[in-house]
Amino acid sequence: MVGMAERVRSSRWTREQSETEFARVVAFSDGVIAIALTLLELNFDTPDVPAPQVAAELAALWPTFLSYAISFAVIGALWVSHHSFFAELRGFDSRLMRLNLLYLSLIVLIPFTTNVFDSYGEVPAGPMLYAAVLAAASLVAWTMGRYAVRAGFVAGAARSGAHGSSLRDLVTPAIFLLSVPLALVIPEYTPLIWLAGLILARRFS
Amino acid sequence: MVGMAERVRSSRWTREQSETEFARVVAFSDGVIAIALTLLELNFDTPDVPAPQVAAELAALWPTFLSYAISFAVIGALWVSHHSFFAELRGFDSRLMRLNLLYLSLIVLIPFTTNVFDSYGEVPAGPMLYAAVLAAASLVAWTMGRYAVRAGFVAGAARSGAHGSSLRDLVTPAIFLLSVPLALVIPEYTPLIWLAGLILARRFS
Amino acid sequence: MVGMAERVRSSRWTREQSETEFARVVAFSDGVIAIALTLLELNFDTPDVPAPQVAAELAALWPTFLSYAISFAVIGALWVSHHSFFAELRGFDSRLMRLNLLYLSLIVLIPFTTNVFDSYGEVPAGPMLYAAVLAAASLVAWTMGRYAVRAGFVAGAARSGAHGSSLRDLVTPAIFLLSVPLALVIPEYTPLIWLAGLILARRFS
Amino acid sequence: MVGMAERVRSSRWTREQSETEFARVVAFSDGVIAIALTLLELNFDTPDVPAPQVAAELAALWPTFLSYAISFAVIGALWVSHHSFFAELRGFDSRLMRLNLLYLSLIVLIPFTTNVFDSYGEVPAGPMLYAAVLAAASLVAWTMGRYAVRAGFVAGAARSGAHGSSLRDLVTPAIFLLSVPLALVIPEYTPLIWLAGLILARRFS
């Protein structure tokens, strides 16, 4: 099948020509994102203590609930973006497909980085790994948007507002990227930096 | 992609305009619910005992089978509701999409709360956590129904009977909510309260 | 949403009226079966031994590979059956949907029963649990087929050959059911009984 | 349902006759591949060390990241091939469906073989198991392509370039197959052999 894959690399499909193939790429991406979202649940470990202590143990899980909520919201927001990006696409080629796979490979890491962040949030390594993966994912998303516009896969009307068409769209990757070195100095405030950055980004975009 | 996501927040789609996008939201939700349902299986731990004792060990798993059956039925019923709710929708917007993600984030917790309920059913914490997550999910479902009717996403005929249109639809969240404090006093009877409440709710609705 | 679910219980859809709803039930079932199939992989534990001994450890995993292959084939065959059953359906109602959920709840147990069978194949409990779950699943499948024919959900041409229309279709559940007590006496030959039974069933049907 | 499955074995569908059934097979395969891809994430174990040492522990995970990236790329490439193979299909029968299930059963093993490769990359067993599963998957893919062409499921235009139509398509299986004995001698260079082989295969095909 690899010989086939080679030929695919030079292929280019419009959405009208092959709605089925387009839908399959979208459904596959959705499947991967949905599974990554659901695997976040595996970060909850059922306490293994005598019954009378379980209430206290569950209460002590609040940082796990918090990091679950943050990551669910993050993956959810990334899915909504992915959703609206593909809704605007009028075609795709194998390069866009590979960028999409690279994007997915970063999303799939989030349950792991969430678990590390949850267990080691107070030292730099926890938030740094978390922010680094999200910064990389944001950059790949930006690259996908930029490439889709340049390759003519985004229709005229949607073009001016599309991903990657302006520097403004680099704000989110920049926030996550900048938080990586900042986590070295003030790891416990990294989530606040993300929040402040995202509120600012929303206000000015 | 976040700049795109921002714009999405003010968007509004009708089902006719974008059947593909609508189907994608539904398929994504189904995917998440299907995975949550299947992850219930991970609550079964293969016994690790000498071979002659395995029959007794498996027999001792009956509460795990029971809580598996309860949660499979609960998630199944929630999926049927979600199914019929989306079947009536004539459109959706980004607010409904975020409510849907919030709903899913609660459903995804059920395999964990099932495991806690299974391991700590005799103390209040086990059933309380289980009931609290279901009460929250029911409330979010009620909010979604209410919002969809008010925003005009439910067609005329289906409107009078739709979710959130009457106080009657608050019965289920109320049962789960009330069982939370009751679990403090009589944890071992909480499943009976759910059962009685749901039979009553079915009879009078 | 439960109020909605109640009403669903008395509903009845034809496939033509609501192809989207029908497709959603099928896709949801496929999703659950696909995840159950993939969770079989989690039964493989990476050896934790000094590097020079890993080859021997991996070679010793052959019963795990064998039970993986058997269960993959079993779930695959069940999926093909489910596939062809739904391909013939011209409609469905909420009762069929609940039978379908019950069927899925048994399929989802297979990764667990496979693991138990793999770890405790030489004592009765291992093959008994495995066969009991498959017997139950076969019986539910037979009930679904029978109900669908009686409720008029299967078109004329397909009717005579449909599930549950004759005693012949009870052969598979019977084989699995009979192997449960037989496993008490000769546990290590249970897979052979299944194999022989299925070959006979295929020849005479 | 097995009686039904028997009859399926002699069936043959064209894509036009039953687009829904065809789409279901494709969606099921995609689902299984997407889950296998996402289960790769479970190979990351969150370190369990005192907080100050976690940075060093995470840095020491780089071979896990590398093997994750390799396997994500491999499964991604296999999915792209599967995607383009099914895009060309004009029909299928039950034999192709069973070959497809066999193919999927090998793909699903990749998260496990990746974990073994990651843990025991320096002894022959690790890369041998990894390469053997991929060689088997490639051979099954080649068989599927060959069978589809012979059975007339591939349309005229696509036929000459289709899978299995020439010896050239055996290059990939051959590379993986040859690397199995080579891993006995030089296990640590196996990934280089794969890389070199794939670059050569791409250049001459």
Side-chain angles (χ1 to χ4, degrees), chain A residues 25 27 30 34 42 47 56 66 70 85 95 121 126 131 144 154 182:
Chain A
V25 175
D30 279 5
L42 300 183
L66 189 66
I70 291 172
F85 173 63
R95 192 172 172 192
M144 279 172 76
V154 180
L182 271 173

Side-chain angles (χ1 to χ4, degrees), chain A residues 132-199:
Chain A
V133 167
L134 280 180
S138 305
L139 274 172
V140 174
W142 181 78
T143 310
M144 279 172 76
R146 196 178 161 85
Y147 175 70
V149 168
R150 298 204 168 177
F153 290 134
V154 180
R159 209 165 181 170
S160 62
H163 314 287
S165 60
S166 69
L167 283 173
R168 214 181 50 200
D169 290 318
L170 280 171
V171 170
T172 317
I175 291 166
F176 284 115
L177 217 51
L178 283 173
S179 76
V180 177
L182 271 173
L184 268 176
V185 200
I186 41 165
E188 56 275 64
Y189 297 112
T190 339
L192 288 180
I193 294 165
W194 299 336
L195 199 67
L198 289 173
I199 289 169

Side-chain angles (χ1 to χ4, degrees), chain D residues 124-144:
Chain D
M128 276 175 85
L129 180 70
Y130 192 89
V133 167
L134 280 180
S138 305
L139 274 172
V140 174
W142 180 79
T143 310
M144 278 172 75

Side-chain angles (χ1 to χ4, degrees), chain C residues 30 47 68 81 83 161 202, chain D residues 1 4 6-7 24 105 120:
Chain C
D30 279 4
Y68 170 78
S81 289
H83 179 99
R202 189 190 287 200
Chain D
M1 281 190 171
M4 186 69 17
E6 302 308 309
R7 275 189 305 280
R24 197 182 170 189
S105 77
Y120 301 97

Side-chain angles (χ1 to χ4, degrees), chain C residues 34-171:
Chain C
I35 304 159
L37 203 58
T38 319
L39 291 186
L40 286 172
E41 186 262 340
L42 300 183
N43 289 341
F44 288 97
D45 291 318
T46 301
D48 188 14
V49 294
Q53 294 163 31
V54 74
E57 280 288 305
L58 289 174
L61 282 180
W62 72 263
T64 307
F65 279 99
L66 189 65
S67 63
Y68 170 78
I70 292 173
S71 287
F72 208 99
V74 163
I75 301 183
L78 292 174
W79 176 72
V80 168
S81 289
H82 194 270
H83 179 99
S84 57
F85 173 63
F86 271 84
E88 278 170 10
L89 277 190
R90 292 293 144 246
F92 63 102
D93 61 3
S94 45
R95 194 173 169 189
L96 200 59
M97 231 152 132
R98 268 175 294 157
L99 281 170
N100 190 41
L101 275 174
L102 179 58
Y103 180 73
L104 295 177
S105 77
L106 292 161
I107 301 301
V108 169
L109 285 177
I110 294 179
F112 168 63
T113 63
T114 303
N115 203 3
V116 172
F117 178 61
D118 173 32
S119 309
Y120 301 95
E122 78 283 11
V123 286
M128 277 176 85
L129 180 71
Y130 192 88
V133 167
L134 280 180
S138 305
L139 274 173
V140 173
W142 180 78
T143 310
M144 277 172 76
R146 196 176 159 85
Y147 175 70
V149 168
R150 300 206 165 177
F153 290 135
V154 180
R159 210 165 182 171
S160 62
H163 312 289
S165 59
S166 70
L167 282 172
R168 215 182 49 200
D169 290 320
L170 279 172
V171 170

Side-chain angles (χ1 to χ4, degrees), chain D residues 43-88:
Chain D
N43 289 341
F44 288 97
D45 291 317
T46 302
D48 189 14
V49 292
Q53 294 162 31
V54 74
E57 279 290 304
L58 289 174
L61 282 180
W62 72 263
T64 307
F65 279 99
L66 189 66
S67 63
Y68 171 77
I70 292 172
S71 288
F72 207 98
V74 163
I75 301 184
L78 292 174
W79 175 72
V80 169
S81 288
H82 194 269
H83 178 100
S84 57
F85 172 63
F86 271 85
E88 276 169 12

Side-chain angles (χ1 to χ4, degrees), chain D residues 104-162:
Chain D
L104 294 177
S105 77
L106 292 161
I107 301 300
V108 169
L109 285 176
I110 295 180
F112 168 64
T113 62
T114 303
N115 203 2
V116 172
F117 178 60
D118 173 30
S119 308
Y120 301 97
E122 77 283 12
V123 287
M128 276 175 85
L129 180 70
Y130 192 89
V133 167
L134 280 180
S138 305
L139 274 172
V140 174
W142 180 79
T143 310
M144 278 172 75
R146 195 176 161 85
Y147 175 69
V149 168
R150 299 205 166 177
F153 290 134
V154 180
R159 208 163 182 172
S160 62

